Amino acid sequence: MSYAYRVESNGRIELKDFDPGADAGLKRDEGEKRTAHLIEELIELQELLYAARRQSVLIVLQGRDTSGKDGTIRVVSGPLNSQGCEVASFQVPTDVELSHDFLWRVHTHTPAVGHIRIFNRSHYEDVLVVRVHNLASEEVWRARFQHINNFEQLLADSSTIILKFYLHISKEEQEKRLIKREQDATKFWKLSVGDWKERERWNDYAVAYEDVLNRCSAKHAPWFIVPADKKWFRNLAVAEALRDALLPYKESWLQKLEEMGRRELKAIEEYRQTHQ
Ligand code: ADP
């Protein structure tokens, strides 16, 4: 059983049917052990991905404020080799970005072959915050679902393994986390009145997210709903989905590396013979 729920293409999910507090009956200790083990596997898989240079990996992280995008990046991707794993964060677009199509700023951040790129927020903001706050007309943001699907198809056709995670947090847990920040001076830098304002639009965001999940999940670019009220379970679910997505490529990467090695050994052999 997978810890995160993989949304089918043309899905009909409703977020109310998913428990943000789910933990698959695991205790925290056991969950953390499993995550540690998965991360060991990921470290090995990343090295093969990097060396074989056949695929790239794009991880999209979306979720409401405090849902744990930063924490997931720190725990799951932190231990990976930073030479081959980078993060791109998407904030309110600049004037220059706004003077182009919405995917212009995104495309330059897609991963190079052999690399993992994590999007902390993404092109999906253009059908989420933009929709909820009427920053573009409905005609404009509706057309973006198809543009996004075409864009991700292009990336997948260019050997990109795509995984998209919606970190599913409850309204109660969000309130607890926002209040906790106010009581901890080391977390003051995270305070934003905007987070409380966005909370008032909880249901509008739910509708916008449901559309994203149902319209933009594909076999080559699946969305996963990740129960995120328990941070340790969220990390476990993301790490597992990532390991499961990379593992099927392991054999082909090893094979390529072996072929490369044999070619190089032959070249070394020939070199020795001509230089003795
Ligand atoms: P976070 O809240 O993820 O920790 P920031 O505080 O930098 O990071 O917030 C980034 C903000 O940028 C979010 O409020 C997000 O909705 C907004 N944003 C990102 N992309 C867009 C976009 N395309 N249009 C409008 N706002 C956007």
Side-chain angles (χ1 to χ4, degrees), residues 21-35:
D23 59 12
L26 292 173
K27 294 270 174 289
R28 180 176 175 163
D29 270 10
E30 174 60 19
E32 286 178 343
K33 261 190 223 147
R34 289 186 191 198
T35 304

Side-chain angles (χ1 to χ4, degrees), residues 63 65-66 69-70 89-93 98 102 105 120-126 129-130 135 144 181 192 195 198 205:
D65 296 315
T66 77
K69 299 183 286 296
D70 294 340
S89 298
F90 293 93
Q91 299 178 336
V92 178
L98 281 174
F102 78 106
R105 69 170 183 161
N120 184 353
R121 299 188 187 267
S122 65
H123 42 301
Y124 283 97
E125 290 294 322
D126 291 280
V129 65
V130 166
L135 303 178
R144 289 179 176 168
R181 283 178 183 176
S192 159
D195 291 348
E198 288 302 90
Y205 272 107

